[in-house]
Amino acid sequence: MQMMDDILKELTESKSENISEISECKAILQRIEGETRRVGIDIPKDRWLAIGAHVLGFVRRMKNKERLPVIEAELFAEIHPDMVALSRRVLTFEGEAWQVDETEAFLLAVHFEAIRVMQTDPSQ
């Protein structure tokens, strides 16, 4: 829990973030922590910072009803299906007003895939 607070503090230190954004980011980061722990993925701090920055951008885009450009479906073939499923689980949850698009799911899955590859083949 303290690590999530530290990451959010580092990401938002020089910006004026509203409390709602920080709260939503923290909830998503906690879901990420729970889901990755459940599947045996250990996220190093530098990757947490990258994921935190992505999640903050995600929350802002959803609040502002902005969308990233659509990505080619073939790109999903480059990511392990379990990492794509993990990403979708984390970003799609009850009680939220937004619809997560495939680009957002893909981008978060890229973070998970990079960590998965580092853990399965440390020489990468």
Side-chain angles (χ1 to χ4, degrees), residues 21-54:
E21 284 179 349
I22 293 170
S23 176
E24 290 183 53
C25 285
K26 186 173 182 176
I28 294 170
L29 291 174
Q30 288 171 333
R31 276 195 299 279
I32 290 170
E33 181 180 39
E35 287 290 329
T36 55
R37 184 174 290 152
R38 188 177 66 76
V39 297
I41 296 173
D42 182 34
I43 302 176
K45 182 170 183 188
D46 65 322
R47 300 308 308 166
W48 270 117
L49 287 170
I51 291 170
H54 177 95

Side-chain angles (χ1 to χ4, degrees), residues 11-108:
L11 288 171
T12 61
E13 217 165 54
S14 62
K15 302 171 188 85
S16 58
E17 314 301 332
N18 73 41
I19 299 299
S20 175
E21 284 179 349
I22 293 170
S23 176
E24 290 183 53
C25 285
K26 186 173 182 176
I28 294 170
L29 291 174
Q30 288 171 333
R31 276 195 299 279
I32 290 170
E33 181 180 39
E35 287 290 329
T36 55
R37 184 174 290 152
R38 188 177 66 76
V39 297
I41 296 173
D42 182 34
I43 302 176
K45 182 170 183 188
D46 65 322
R47 300 308 308 166
W48 270 117
L49 287 170
I51 291 170
H54 177 95
V55 168
L56 181 58
F58 165 74
V59 167
R60 288 181 176 159
R61 285 188 293 277
M62 294 300 104
K63 284 193 169 278
N64 294 323
K65 297 181 177 25
E66 297 172 358
R67 296 284 183 178
L68 293 172
V70 176
I71 61 166
E72 297 176 24
E74 297 82 40
L75 291 174
F76 279 93
E78 301 294 321
I79 307 294
H80 193 283
D82 291 346
M83 299 302 99
V84 175
L86 173 62
S87 177
R88 287 181 179 138
R89 272 196 317 274
V90 166
L91 295 178
T92 307
F93 44 92
E94 284 186 52
E96 295 301 331
W98 54 60
Q99 292 285 351
V100 176
D101 63 37
E102 288 298 292
T103 301
E104 294 287 359
F106 173 80
L107 293 175
L108 185 57

